[in-house]
Amino acid sequence: MKIYFKHYSGAITEYDYLFFDCMAKVSSHEEDKALNEGWLPDDYADPKKLSNHQEDKSDWYQARQTRIDLNIFQEDRRTRKARKKCKEITTKTFKANKVDISILNNIFDKYTKYRGFKGWELEPLIKREAYKKYFIIYYLNDKPIAFTFLRDVGSNSIFSTQFAWDYENPKLYLGKYANLAEIDYCISRKKDYMYLGFGYQKACIYKSDYQGFEFWNGDVWSNDVEQYKFLCERDSKLKYLHELEKCKEEDDNNIFK
């Protein structure tokens, strides 16, 4: 595994901060080790900026990652409620090279507009390592209304990379049900872990709702849900760069001691 960095910016006068990406080139036989050390593949990198050789395999990125230990996961009142609310929803799974991309684009366009996100193309997500990738499409009355983009990672895990839905019926709370559909899919294939990606800001607190939840703090995979929620809430409160120094001091004393 070759680790490399992209150094973008920093400061050393009024306060100290470094802004960079920490990336790695991970071979297939190194993926389990990489997962255990907080790395996940970056399928969002623009393939136009990569060489033909690089397009064969996504590079991996280091972050506060999240996952669910599927050997610990159990149903509870909240999961049963989410399932009941979406009892009319049906699903179908497609390999990435067999999916109708026009269906995905239609859903994704409505999703990005509803959420106020900048639109971007889905095709680049599929291009590299397509044989490892597939989609769960969600239907209401036979109409496709949402999808989850999944990919195999390591010897026995799955990474839930992207969820999107058209929000034509927001009261469905389909995102919560989709997490359960993804978990069902993983368990049916006897997977050990389902990775959920980033764990930053309040928007990611919901990921800790499931038994078996863990997050990568940069040193270990932790199941301290209260600490995770504190970190996410703190992320959302940050407004100024100088506040990062206080975060670093707090975490060096309490997390990385």
Side-chain angles (χ1 to χ4, degrees):
M1 184 166 68
K2 176 179 174 52
I3 298 173
Y4 67 94
F5 302 86
K6 296 179 180 179
H7 291 285
Y8 300 114
S9 182
I12 58 172
T13 51
E14 296 179 6
Y15 45 82
D16 293 338
Y17 86 88
L18 302 173
F19 176 46
F20 59 88
D21 281 337
C22 182
M23 307 293 293
K25 295 186 179 299
V26 180
S27 62
S28 296
H29 73 273
E30 294 174 318
E31 288 193 4
D32 285 328
K33 181 178 185 295
L35 290 168
N36 287 331
E37 295 177 356
W39 299 88
L40 281 173
D42 178 17
D43 289 315
Y44 292 89
D46 185 353
K48 296 178 183 177
K49 298 180 181 179
L50 303 175
S51 68
N52 289 332
H53 175 70
Q54 287 175 306
E55 287 182 12
D56 293 339
K57 198 173 192 312
S58 297
D59 286 354
W60 291 43
Y61 67 96
Q62 180 69 210
R64 186 195 297 157
Q65 313 284 16
T66 60
R67 71 182 185 184
I68 296 173
D69 184 339
L70 298 169
N71 296 302
I72 297 176
F73 171 79
Q74 290 184 346
E75 297 281 352
D76 58 22
R77 180 181 59 81
R78 286 180 298 185
T79 61
R80 289 190 290 270
K81 183 178 179 180
R83 290 186 189 278
K84 183 177 181 180
K85 203 170 189 66
C86 293
K87 61 183 179 181
E88 303 300 324
I89 300 296
T90 59
T91 63
K92 294 180 182 178
T93 304
F94 299 86
K95 292 182 179 180
N97 61 353
K98 300 292 184 181
V99 72
D100 185 340
I101 194 69
S102 66
I103 291 176
L104 304 183
N105 284 333
N106 181 52
I107 294 170
F108 198 61
D109 181 60
K110 293 177 180 179
Y111 168 75
T112 54
K113 288 179 179 177
Y114 183 89
R115 297 295 300 270
F117 297 155
K118 181 180 179 181
W120 41 272
E121 295 181 1
L122 289 170
E123 284 86 347
L125 289 179
I126 304 172
K127 188 170 185 179
R128 290 181 301 276
E129 301 176 278
Y131 64 96
K132 293 185 176 182
K133 300 174 179 178
Y134 34 95
F135 291 84
I136 299 175
I137 297 183
Y138 304 82
Y139 299 83
L140 180 62
N141 299 323
D142 295 326
K143 177 187 176 183
I145 62 170
F147 69 83
T148 298
F149 167 49
L150 302 163
R151 62 164 291 156
D152 293 323
V153 286
S155 60
N156 205 35
S157 296
I158 284 178
F159 177 19
S160 175
T161 304
Q162 177 72 55
F163 170 74
W165 65 303
D166 60 19
Y167 278 98
E168 290 184 6
N169 186 357
K171 293 183 179 180
L172 278 174
Y173 295 101
L174 188 56
K176 295 181 179 180
Y177 175 77
N179 283 149
L180 297 173
E182 295 157 15
I183 290 171
D184 291 344
Y185 182 86
C186 293
I187 290 176
S188 71
R189 282 150 182 79
K190 302 185 185 305
K191 301 296 183 180
D192 293 321
Y193 292 98
M194 186 175 85
Y195 288 82
L196 303 173
F198 288 135
Y200 296 106
Q201 298 188 300
K202 289 182 179 180
C204 289
I205 287 179
Y206 78 92
K207 298 181 181 183
S208 65
D209 287 345
Y210 307 101
Q211 293 188 45
F213 170 81
E214 297 175 338
F215 74 98
W216 175 251
N217 68 11
D219 184 33
V220 297
W221 283 100
S222 171
N223 60 7
D224 189 335
V225 173
E226 292 308 311
Q227 183 181 80
Y228 172 76
K229 289 180 178 179
F230 166 79
L231 293 172
C232 289
E233 289 172 354
R234 187 181 68 182
D235 295 335
S236 290
K237 293 177 182 177
L238 293 175
K239 293 183 178 180
Y240 305 104
L241 288 174
H242 68 81
E243 295 176 311
L244 295 174
E245 263 192 314
K246 183 178 179 181
C247 292
K248 181 179 183 300
E249 183 179 348
E250 287 178 350
D251 292 354
D252 283 343
N253 290 331
N254 299 305
I255 297 178
F256 306 117
K257 56 185 178 181

